[in-house]
Amino acid sequence: MERGSADTTLSIKEIKELWSRTYNEVGKPGWSHIFSYYHDNIVFQDSIQRIEGKDEFLEMCNRLAKRCKSLSMEIFNIVKTDKVVMMEWKMTMSFRRFPNKPIYGSTRLTFNDEGLIIEQRDYYDLWGDIYDGIPIVRPVYRRFMKKFFG
């Protein structure tokens, strides 16, 4: 992709290809091939944390890669409008002695005028997806969520 062209953001096809290579079923995940698409002032936020700056973002990605025994991502849908991309996914993670666990979510990528990702917001219910895999905890957690949040 040539920066400075009429549409400088990544295409849906490019995003699907790049993000699918990020996560693999065997071995450690790696993000190094997508880091060049992030702006130095990237703001990343998910259910757990808010990270500001590319150095901090790279550190967070490397920490996750180090902790994961394996990690894979299946992208279901991608929608692009102007400088915003939304994608829906299933990420399956394995940590140390724990079995593979799927987490379902979505990601919003916001691009600046140069075609770099200036903001990434990941949406997912980490604890719900984890607790759903634990037979004794699942019903208690779901009753709690329904009672207090709807």
Side-chain angles (χ1 to χ4, degrees):
M1 181 183 72
E2 185 179 324
R3 301 250 193 262
S5 61
D7 182 5
T8 58
T9 62
L10 291 165
S11 70
I12 288 175
K13 182 179 177 183
E14 290 169 319
I15 290 170
K16 190 166 188 173
E17 190 272 325
L18 286 166
W19 264 253
S20 294
R21 278 194 320 170
T22 301
Y23 306 91
N24 53 66
E25 293 182 29
V26 180
K28 296 283 187 184
W31 288 273
S32 61
H33 65 284
I34 63 170
F35 289 154
S36 65
Y37 296 100
Y38 285 88
H39 190 275
D40 287 342
N41 296 323
I42 175 70
V43 174
F44 171 87
Q45 186 171 350
D46 65 11
S47 303
I48 301 169
Q49 62 201 330
R50 178 182 167 93
I51 305 285
E52 296 186 22
K54 191 169 183 178
D55 290 339
E56 289 79 7
F57 177 72
L58 299 179
E59 287 174 18
M60 180 213 44
C61 291
N62 291 330
R63 280 192 308 271
L64 179 59
K66 187 176 180 181
R67 284 193 309 262
C68 287
K69 191 166 77 175
S70 68
L71 195 141
S72 65
M73 177 177 266
E74 182 179 353
I75 299 171
F76 300 120
N77 297 297
I78 300 179
V79 178
K80 180 180 178 191
T81 60
D82 193 26
K83 291 183 169 62
V84 176
V85 170
M86 289 290 298
M87 59 181 150
E88 179 185 13
W89 44 261
K90 175 177 88 171
M91 185 168 52
T92 304
M93 308 168 92
S94 176
F95 296 101
R96 296 182 187 102
R97 295 179 297 265
F98 298 100
N100 288 349
K101 179 64 188 141
I103 296 172
Y104 297 86
S106 61
T107 295
R108 183 187 71 230
L109 301 173
T110 304
F111 293 83
N112 68 5
D113 290 337
E114 290 81 39
L116 296 172
I117 301 167
I118 191 70
E119 181 183 9
Q120 178 174 334
R121 178 64 165 102
D122 288 356
Y123 301 93
Y124 56 89
D125 177 11
L126 177 65
W127 298 115
D129 286 338
I130 289 173
Y131 289 153
D132 281 344
I134 305 171
I136 296 169
V137 177
R138 182 188 187 285
V140 174
Y141 176 74
R142 290 296 167 196
R143 275 195 304 274
F144 171 81
M145 294 302 289
K146 186 173 183 178
K147 181 176 181 177
F148 291 102
F149 300 104

